[in-house]
């Protein structure tokens, strides 16, 4: 058990280092190609930090534990808002979001509504998977077109280079190195931490269902937490929220979409009664910050963390 505790610390250290590298790479990539950091965070950063959820969900379906795949995604989306936004908001406070965040936030709410509607027709099958992946393709296409518009606009005027952490002289190779370190290091760190945490929980005789809803969900959200924490520390609020929004979209449309192609995913009745609605309510908590540009101060962060603690207690009880 001592070894597992040490591995938890190693995994956490890897996550923090990789998260910082990914933010630096994403911000400088945005500067280099002339598109907002928000768009990069909604795609490259968000998908990279969702890699652990994808790996674990597909593995769960293959190992005849499909329920864990759904619990992992729903639990991670709840943690992404209440924990991943709550911690940096409590420590640093978060500035208001830019107007570009509104569109992606509405997409996330739409994806959440569609996902919940599909859950009530469950189990998720390959048909659901194809629909979800088609929706993800549409979102990515829209992001690509938006990026093209911004690149054209950036040629007409000098790009703003006041992003903290941005270095106009950084070489393309160094940017790529930062991105690779982040995208590779985050899932590795998460895997080390989750595996060790599950081992500790099993040693203490904690039930598997509780492990899935708590430790696995929190563990797979740690890449998002590490990246968001680094982004807020560098005063990149759009990158932070873009990471959360993009990760939640990818979790719902991409991860369950792929996992449902591997095998059917049953929907637990308890999830229909409670967890899916908690996920929707958590998403709506970001409404003031995104739609009305309200600052997320330390009090707001504390409220998010208290709500998440209450949810975990309810799950364990």
């Amino acid at each position: 058990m001592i070894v597992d505790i040490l591995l938890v610390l190693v995994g956490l250290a890897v996550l923090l280092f990789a998260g910082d590298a990914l933010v630096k790479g994403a911000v400088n990539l945005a500067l280099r190609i002339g598109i907002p950091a928000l768009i990069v965070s909604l795609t490259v950063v968000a998908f990279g930090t969702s890699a652990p959820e994808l790996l674990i969900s597909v593995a769960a379906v293959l190992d005849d534990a499909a329920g864990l795949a759904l619990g992992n995604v729903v639990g991670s989306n709840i943690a992404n808002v209440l924990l991943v936004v709550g911690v940096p908001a409590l420590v640093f406070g978060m500035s208001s979001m830019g107007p570009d965040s509104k569109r992606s936030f509405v997409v996330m709410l739409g994806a959440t509504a569609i996902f919940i509607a599909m859950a009530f027709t469950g189990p998720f099958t390959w048909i659901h998977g194809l629909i979800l992946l088609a929706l993800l393709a549409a979102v990515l296409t829209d992001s690509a077109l938006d990026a093209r518009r911004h690149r054209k606009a950036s040629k007409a005027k000098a790009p703003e280079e006041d992003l903290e952490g941005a270095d106009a002289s950084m070489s393309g190779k160094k940017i790529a190195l930062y991105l690779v370190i982040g995208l590779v290091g985050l899932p590795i760190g998460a895997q080390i931490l989750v595996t060790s945490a599950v081992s500790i929980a099993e040693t203490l005789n904690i039930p598997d269902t509780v492990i899935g809803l708590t430790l696995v969900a929190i563990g797979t959200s740690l890449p998002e937490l590490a990246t968001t924490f680094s982004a807020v520390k560098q005063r990149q609020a759009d990158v932070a929220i873009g990471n959360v929004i993009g990760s939640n979209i990818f979790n719902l449309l991409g991860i369950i979409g792929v996992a449902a192609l591997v095998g059917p995913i049953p929907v637990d009745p308890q999830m229909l009664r409670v967890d899916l609605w908690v996920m929707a309510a958590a998403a709506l908590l970001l409404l003031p910050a995104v739609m009305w540009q309200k600052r997320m101060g330390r009090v707001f962060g504390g409220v998010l963390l208290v709500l998440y603690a209450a949810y975990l207690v309810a799950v364990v009880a």
Side-chain angles (χ1 to χ4, degrees), residues 71-92:
N72 177 34
V73 165
V74 173
S76 292
N77 274 27
I78 294 171
N80 279 352
V81 176
L82 301 183
L83 178 66
V84 172
V85 175
V87 170
L90 179 65
V91 176
F92 300 111

Side-chain angles (χ1 to χ4, degrees), residues 144-163:
L145 293 175
D146 196 25
R148 179 182 295 179
R149 287 192 293 269
H150 279 286
R151 289 188 67 180
K152 289 182 178 179
S154 69
K155 292 179 181 179
K157 62 178 182 178
E160 297 180 4
E161 299 183 4
D162 58 349
L163 297 175

Side-chain angles (χ1 to χ4, degrees), residues 49-54 56-57 68-85 108 194 212-225 243-245 247-252 255 271 275 279 282 308 311-312:
T49 56
S50 289
E53 285 95 333
L54 178 60
I56 289 175
S57 294
L68 178 61
L70 189 59
N72 177 34
V73 165
V74 173
S76 292
N77 274 27
I78 294 171
N80 279 352
V81 176
L82 301 183
L83 178 66
V84 172
V85 175
M108 184 188 74
V194 170
L213 289 170
T214 56
L215 288 177
V216 174
I218 293 173
T220 54
S221 290
L222 286 176
E224 285 89 347
L225 177 58
N243 173 36
V244 170
I245 292 175
S247 179
N248 279 14
I249 293 172
F250 186 70
N251 284 351
L252 297 173
I255 292 177
M271 192 162 289
D275 301 284
M279 178 181 71
Y308 190 57
Y311 171 71
L312 292 180

